[in-house]
């Protein structure tokens, strides 16, 4: 049985998770990464995606995050999200609004760098939408 470690998922609105877990899959900016007890120290930015938490009881919980960063140390992991919600509580209208705003950001971009960042964010949101919402 894998060793448990402390995981916290925090959004500006509230603390969503603060418990001992077996593993956490984090949507890092460079790709998904699985965090387990005694992980090497890492700090990474988070892209919009799904955080999957395997609790000490073996139950899987999923949360949607919209950016932020994760601080990983051997004793635990703290994920500070710009916005986070349990997958079961996701609001289709909120996700559709975020996607529309991202499309407007792409259309309103004044230079190539800004447009590229906006297009990347839009792509992440649409991928997220496909991953969590049924067709």
């Amino acid at each position: 049985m894998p060793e448990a470690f402390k995981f916290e998922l925090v959004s500006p609105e509230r603390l969503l998770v603060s418990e001992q877990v077996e593993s956490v899959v984090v949507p890092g900016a460079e790709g998904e990464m699985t965090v387990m007890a005694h992980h090497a120290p890492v700090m990474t930015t988070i892209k919009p995606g799904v955080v999957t938490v395997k609790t000490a009881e073996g139950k899987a919980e999923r949360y949607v995050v919209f950016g932020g960063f994760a601080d990983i140390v051997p004793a635990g992991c703290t994920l500070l999200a710009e916005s986070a919600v349990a997958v079961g509580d996701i609001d289709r209208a909120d996700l559709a609004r975020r996607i529309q705003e991202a499309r407007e950001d792409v259309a309103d971009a004044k230079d190539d760098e800004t447009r590229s960042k906006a297009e990347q964010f839009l792509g992440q949101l649409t991928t997220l939408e496909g991953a969590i919402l049924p067709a």
Side-chain angles (χ1 to χ4, degrees), residues 19-76:
E19 63 184 271
Q20 295 291 314
V21 302
E22 287 184 5
S23 67
V24 178
V25 178
V26 176
E30 301 298 318
E32 284 190 350
M33 62 189 296
T34 301
V35 179
M36 298 181 81
H38 309 294
H39 196 286
V42 176
M43 184 169 280
T44 184
T45 55
I46 301 300
K47 66 180 183 181
V50 176
V51 173
T52 303
V53 178
K54 185 172 182 185
T55 66
E57 295 81 34
K59 186 174 73 168
E61 299 173 353
R62 297 175 53 199
Y63 300 87
V64 174
V65 295
F66 293 97
F69 69 92
D71 184 21
I72 302 163
V73 296

Side-chain angles (χ1 to χ4, degrees), residues 3-24:
E3 189 175 335
F5 65 97
K6 179 73 168 194
F7 172 67
E8 293 188 330
L9 174 57
V10 183
S11 73
E13 299 85 26
R14 64 189 171 123
L15 175 66
L16 282 92
V17 179
S18 180
E19 63 184 271
Q20 295 291 314
V21 302
E22 287 184 5
S23 67
V24 178

Side-chain angles (χ1 to χ4, degrees), residues 48-106:
V50 176
V51 173
T52 303
V53 178
K54 185 172 182 185
T55 66
E57 295 81 34
K59 186 174 73 168
E61 299 173 353
R62 297 175 53 199
Y63 300 87
V64 174
V65 295
F66 293 97
F69 69 92
D71 184 21
I72 302 163
V73 296
C77 174
T78 300
L79 197 156
L80 301 173
E82 292 174 14
S83 176
V85 63
V87 167
D89 297 339
I90 193 73
D91 180 353
R92 282 180 174 265
D94 179 56
L95 185 55
R97 179 188 55 78
R98 288 174 188 263
I99 290 171
Q100 183 57 38
E101 288 174 359
R103 285 188 177 117
E104 291 169 6
D105 290 346
V106 169

